[in-house]
Amino acid sequence: MNLLITGCYGFIGYNFINYINDNFKNDFNLYGIDSLESSCSVANQKISNIENFNFTELNIVDINKSEAFNDVSFDCVINFAAETHVDNSIFMPEKFIYSNVLGVTEVLKFAINKMIPKVLHVSTDEVYGSSREEYFKEDAFFNPSSPYSASKASAELVCEAFHKTYGMEILLVRPANNYGIYQQPEKLIPFSLANLFNERNIEVYGEGKNIRHWLHVTDTSSAIMKIMESKESYSAFNIGSDVYMENIDVVKKILSILNLNEERITFVEDRPGHDFRYAVNFSKLKKLGWKPLADFDYELEKITDWYKNNIDWWKSEYESVLKKRELRKGLS
């Protein structure tokens, strides 16, 4: 079976191809594309040792201009490629529209032109917006709060239109907040660790009371495989874990692992449009026979050790993140 993986060296994409290699390496021929805009993606390419894998450096918006796949017949495209950091979307929304909406459109056109029978598009639970009590099911209305989540919601509408217009078989997945190794140091856990390892304090928005639904990236990978193998022709699936925590509790766990006190927390001005709580009902996915397996506390200790022992992997990207934060704050 031939799979095309877009964004193959990004956080979830790279963990996914490693998951395939660890569990199904004789079942798939993997083809990957990535723009390699992030230094972390470049680092992943350098250390990658995936069997039956062919890589092409390519931005998804240019996928229909490339001749790299003229002789390949694909069974499925799995689209991980996206701009994902909410803070950056506030600062440069046009980049998110370009990658997450135009890029998805080009991937769908590519699938039509290549007569690829199935596309699996990776979206986000953030398309539903925030709720203090509700657990959103797949048929809930979209209510995005940031340019990032709006771009992902828009991409899903493009997918729906392509399904209705062209009869495309498209599967949509909406994962909760992913965590794990190989995550760029712009997200809460790796950014907090990088700050501590650079003698800086952890930065927490507002009072740290915002609630996130934490899903390990390996559980995301296994869920995607389960959904891809299902007989659904056009459907959306939430992916969750039922692990909910306030941001302040997550950073306190990090400090505890490193034997540091809470004086290493600095509370900063909240970001605009900051959603209070993300929460999804993933009973539909459970009916396929899937369940999450990761233990948050155990995985957080492993992640902490990994970032401590792989500073060269994240150092350059971390410095880039700090510069972007200064720009957002109007300091340069």
Side-chain angles (χ1 to χ4, degrees):
M1 191 173 186
N2 294 331
L3 299 182
L4 176 60
I5 313 298
T6 71
C8 64
Y9 287 128
F11 168 47
I12 304 180
Y14 188 54
N15 276 282
F16 180 77
I17 62 175
N18 278 308
Y19 177 83
I20 294 289
N21 190 55
D22 292 340
N23 296 279
F24 307 99
K25 60 184 172 185
N26 295 321
D27 298 334
F28 298 97
N29 297 310
L30 300 180
Y31 295 80
I33 66 171
D34 197 290
S35 63
L36 297 181
E37 291 184 11
S38 164
S39 61
C40 291
S41 296
V42 174
N44 287 342
Q45 183 198 15
K46 290 179 180 178
I47 63 176
S48 179
N49 187 26
I50 308 296
E51 295 187 23
N52 301 321
F53 182 65
N54 297 274
F55 171 68
T56 300
E57 183 178 349
L58 185 66
N59 192 307
I60 56 171
V61 297
D62 297 320
I63 192 170
N64 288 294
K65 301 175 184 177
S66 175
E67 298 181 356
F69 308 114
N70 286 354
D71 299 324
V72 185
S73 177
F74 294 109
D75 297 286
C76 182
V77 179
I78 303 179
N79 182 46
F80 292 100
E83 294 287 337
T84 64
H85 190 41
V86 174
D87 285 9
N88 289 341
S89 79
I90 298 170
F91 178 60
M92 51 180 81
E94 66 282 358
K95 186 172 184 179
F96 285 69
I97 301 301
Y98 180 74
S99 294
N100 297 354
V101 183
L102 177 60
V104 169
T105 304
E106 291 297 327
V107 169
L108 295 175
K109 286 169 55 182
F110 176 80
I112 291 174
N113 294 336
K114 291 282 290 180
M115 295 184 289
I116 301 171
K118 181 180 293 187
V119 174
L120 189 148
H121 172 64
V122 180
S123 186
T124 173
D125 64 345
E126 295 187 38
V127 297
Y128 300 119
S130 179
S131 173
R132 290 184 176 268
E133 296 182 358
E134 186 176 359
Y135 292 83
F136 293 107
K137 292 186 177 181
E138 287 82 357
D139 59 356
F141 288 109
F142 287 175
N143 186 27
S145 301
S146 68
Y148 160 64
S149 54
S151 71
K152 297 297 279 187
S154 299
E156 286 208 37
L157 293 178
V158 173
C159 288
E160 183 175 358
F162 269 68
H163 166 68
K164 290 178 178 178
T165 302
Y166 305 106
M168 293 186 67
E169 183 175 340
I170 304 174
L171 297 171
L172 306 168
V173 298
R174 299 168 187 154
N177 211 68
N178 267 239
Y179 70 102
I181 62 173
Y182 301 114
Q183 188 170 36
Q184 295 89 339
E186 59 190 8
K187 300 302 179 84
L188 177 62
I189 291 174
F191 185 62
S192 297
L193 290 169
N195 275 342
L196 293 173
F197 296 145
N198 280 274
E199 303 303 321
R200 299 166 67 101
N201 282 0
I202 293 176
E203 294 183 6
V204 176
Y205 283 127
E207 298 179 352
K209 297 296 185 181
N210 301 73
I211 297 170
R212 293 296 177 261
H213 185 182
W214 292 93
L215 175 68
H216 193 269
V217 66
T218 301
D219 283 334
T220 301
S221 297
S222 68
I224 288 171
M225 285 299 299
K226 178 67 72 173
I227 294 165
M228 187 184 71
E229 294 169 350
S230 73
K231 295 182 180 180
E232 299 281 348
S233 61
Y234 179 80
S235 193
F237 288 89
N238 294 330
I239 310 176
S241 66
D242 285 333
V243 176
Y244 292 90
M245 274 182 286
E246 294 181 353
N247 290 340
I248 189 64
D249 291 328
V250 174
V251 301
K252 285 180 179 180
K253 286 178 180 289
I254 292 172
L255 291 173
S256 177
I257 291 170
L258 293 171
N259 294 314
L260 298 172
N261 62 47
E262 293 179 17
E263 294 177 357
R264 298 299 301 275
I265 299 173
T266 297
F267 294 95
V268 298
E269 182 180 355
D270 209 353
R271 71 183 179 208
H274 195 182
D275 286 324
F276 177 73
R277 171 181 172 269
Y278 299 125
V280 295
N281 179 315
F282 57 102
S283 59
K284 181 178 176 181
L285 178 55
K286 289 179 180 178
K287 291 178 181 177
L288 294 182
W290 178 87
K291 64 179 180 180
L293 298 177
D295 176 86
F296 184 87
D297 290 343
Y298 173 74
E299 295 296 343
L300 187 60
E301 289 193 20
K302 288 173 57 180
I303 291 165
T304 301
D305 287 341
W306 190 88
Y307 279 91
K308 185 176 183 179
N309 295 322
N310 289 275
I311 292 176
D312 289 343
W313 182 89
W314 55 260
K315 183 69 172 179
S316 177
E317 191 68 20
Y318 171 68
E319 292 171 354
S320 176
V321 169
L322 292 179
K323 290 179 181 178
K324 289 178 181 178
R325 290 174 75 86
E326 290 178 358
L327 287 171
R328 290 198 299 271
K329 294 175 183 177
L331 298 179
S332 62

